[in-house]
Amino acid sequence: MNLRALAEKDLAFTLEGTETGGASEFTLFDKAGSAYPLRGTVGDIGYLLDGEGNAIQGRQIVNTFRMSTLAAQTAEPPAKGNKIVQKDLSGTEWTLFVVRYEPDRTIGIGRLVLALDLSK
């Protein structure tokens, strides 16, 4: 097994591990309504900095997941408008929408840029 294959295999612990890593569970829904449970990092930052280091209001929501886990469930990659449902640490359920999908095919990590509302 080469180094890239080993790194992808290790994602089961480092990216998806709910006890060994810091993974959160979330569900991706395609446009037909099919559900695909995933685990990975969830980043939801509500206080951002501009290029000069000044605090500004804003919100950036990005989730990452192991691409092979999604590929085992569907051949279709995430697309703009797909829905994500996830709970935050307080147990509040959030419905989010995919704005952009950024695959990293080096070791197989998918990155989803999300929004609360696609019209903005």
Side-chain angles (χ1 to χ4, degrees):
M1 177 179 304
N2 70 25
L3 188 57
R4 285 179 56 202
L6 179 60
E8 196 286 329
K9 183 179 176 186
D10 285 348
L11 290 176
F13 303 103
T14 59
L15 184 61
E16 294 182 320
T18 54
E19 292 187 29
T20 58
S24 297
E25 296 178 343
F26 56 95
T27 304
L28 171 70
F29 293 87
D30 64 18
K31 292 182 181 172
S34 298
Y36 307 106
L38 298 168
R39 292 180 306 214
T41 60
V42 172
D44 188 345
I45 302 170
Y47 201 60
L48 304 172
L49 302 175
D50 68 10
E52 297 177 4
N54 301 309
I56 57 172
Q57 284 186 313
R59 190 164 184 187
Q60 182 178 19
I61 310 166
V62 178
N63 289 10
T64 61
F65 64 94
R66 187 178 181 198
M67 291 169 56
S68 63
T69 298
L70 182 60
Q73 300 176 68
T74 180
E76 293 299 315
K80 183 175 182 177
N82 286 162
K83 183 170 70 171
I84 296 281
V85 175
Q86 65 191 33
K87 290 185 181 179
D88 64 19
L89 292 175
S90 68
T92 302
E93 187 172 273
W94 291 89
T95 299
L96 306 162
F97 298 93
V98 175
V99 174
R100 189 171 62 247
Y101 169 53
E102 300 171 345
D104 177 349
R105 294 179 185 88
T106 306
I107 62 170
I109 297 173
R111 182 173 186 256
L112 300 172
V113 177
L114 305 169
L116 293 169
D117 182 352
L118 279 176
S119 65
K120 295 183 181 182

